[in-house]
Every structure is written in structure tokens, then in C-alpha cells.
Amino acid sequence: MTMIRQATQQDMTAICRIDAIVLGNTSRSQELGESVAAGDCYVAYLDTDIIGFVVMNQSFFKQSFIQHLIVHPQYQNQGIGEDLMLHMEAVCTREKLFTSTNLSNKRMQRLCHKLYYVQSGIIDNLDPGDPEVIFCKQIRRRLPKTYPSKVQTI
């Protein structure tokens, strides 16, 4: 059974290994270490093996943003990414949760649609020829403001 918990410094080797397998290089190792240190990274694990991770922070216009969602190729298409996204929704303290993916990443787009994220825009010129698609999901409903009653009781 897959479990999810906040990442610790001891998880860094596994996190960076999985990221390098998926990304093809180790260019994000320092960034991932900073995310773990800040408490922004969560890992999915099976028995004692880390099989994926997610990073959520407040970097997107001070909104909650899922910056990275990475699952080891051996465990993809098994619901691990969905579990990680749902966990982030559960721990998100903001009203909205944003994420993004390249237009070419159809798998992530399908996951966003499955979880009822709505497309919220496209950013050109980040990756040449592959625009970034922004998604958003309303997590918590804004509570209506309460106003003092104008009726006086006697």
C-alpha cells in the first residue's frame, strides 16, 4: 500500500535519483534540497522505497502551487500521481491550488482534468515550442463574511 509523508533530509538521495531518471539530469538537486528543508516536499513510498514525490509551495503569486510531481517510471500509471495530488489538496491551506505542465505533457493534463482542475492560462516562451499550461482547482470555499445583526433584541 502506498503511503505519503513529508520528506526528510534522509530522503534526498532517493528524491534526486528519481528526479534524474525522469528529467534526464541532476540540475534540480539543489532546488529539491531547498524544498525538503523548507518542508515543501512530500514523498510517496511503498514499504521502505520512495517511488515518487511532490513539491508544493506559495511561489505562484503567493498562491499554493504544485511545482513538481514526479513518479518513478516503474510506478507510473498506478495512481501514485493522483494520490500525491489529492494529498496536496488535503494539506493545502489556501483556497486555490495551482499547478502547470507543458502542453506536450498529455499525461499530466489528463490527471488535472480527472481531478477537476480547470485550465487557467498558457505561458509561452518558457520552453521553446512547448507552452506551459496553468491549471487551478478551488480547494476551499470562501466563507461568507458575517455582519452584525441590525436587529436588536430586547
Side-chain angles (χ1 to χ4, degrees):
M1 179 177 175
T2 303
M3 304 293 289
I4 299 171
R5 63 170 170 75
Q6 197 166 29
T8 66
Q9 206 57 37
Q10 290 76 20
D11 300 324
M12 276 302 300
T13 300
I15 290 168
C16 290
R17 180 178 45 81
I18 293 169
D19 192 56
I21 290 169
V22 172
L23 187 62
N25 62 58
T26 59
S27 64
R28 296 194 294 215
S29 295
Q30 181 178 345
E31 174 190 336
L32 292 171
E34 292 167 0
S35 296
V36 169
D40 294 339
C41 185
Y42 291 77
V43 294
Y45 61 99
L46 186 60
D47 299 319
T48 58
D49 296 326
I50 293 174
I51 58 176
F53 67 92
V54 62
V55 174
M56 179 178 71
N57 56 40
Q58 314 318 301
S59 64
F60 186 70
F61 298 97
K62 298 184 181 179
Q63 299 290 323
S64 292
F65 184 77
I66 295 175
Q67 186 171 3
H68 301 296
L69 174 66
I70 306 290
V71 176
H72 190 289
Q74 181 179 341
Y75 296 95
Q76 291 178 2
N77 299 315
Q78 297 179 29
I80 308 303
E82 181 176 349
D83 291 344
L84 285 164
M85 292 279 287
L86 291 172
H87 187 79
M88 292 299 93
E89 290 177 19
V91 300
C92 181
T93 59
R94 306 286 172 99
E95 295 174 9
K96 296 176 276 189
L97 179 56
F98 289 86
T99 192
S100 71
T101 190
N102 288 98
L103 185 61
S104 64
N105 190 341
K106 301 301 183 193
R107 184 180 294 172
M108 182 62 178
Q109 289 177 55
R110 282 192 300 273
L111 177 59
C112 288
H113 290 295
K114 179 180 181 180
L115 297 177
Y116 304 104
Y117 284 72
V118 295
Q119 186 172 326
S120 298
I122 295 179
I123 301 173
D124 292 315
N125 302 311
L126 290 174
D127 293 325
D130 197 6
E132 193 77 8
V133 183
I134 309 296
F135 290 91
C136 177
K137 184 172 183 180
Q138 190 78 28
I139 301 298
R140 289 174 180 50
R141 301 245 186 267
R142 180 175 278 178
L143 296 174
K145 292 182 179 180
T146 55
Y147 295 100
S149 174
K150 293 183 180 180
V151 178
Q152 292 183 340
T153 55
I154 300 176

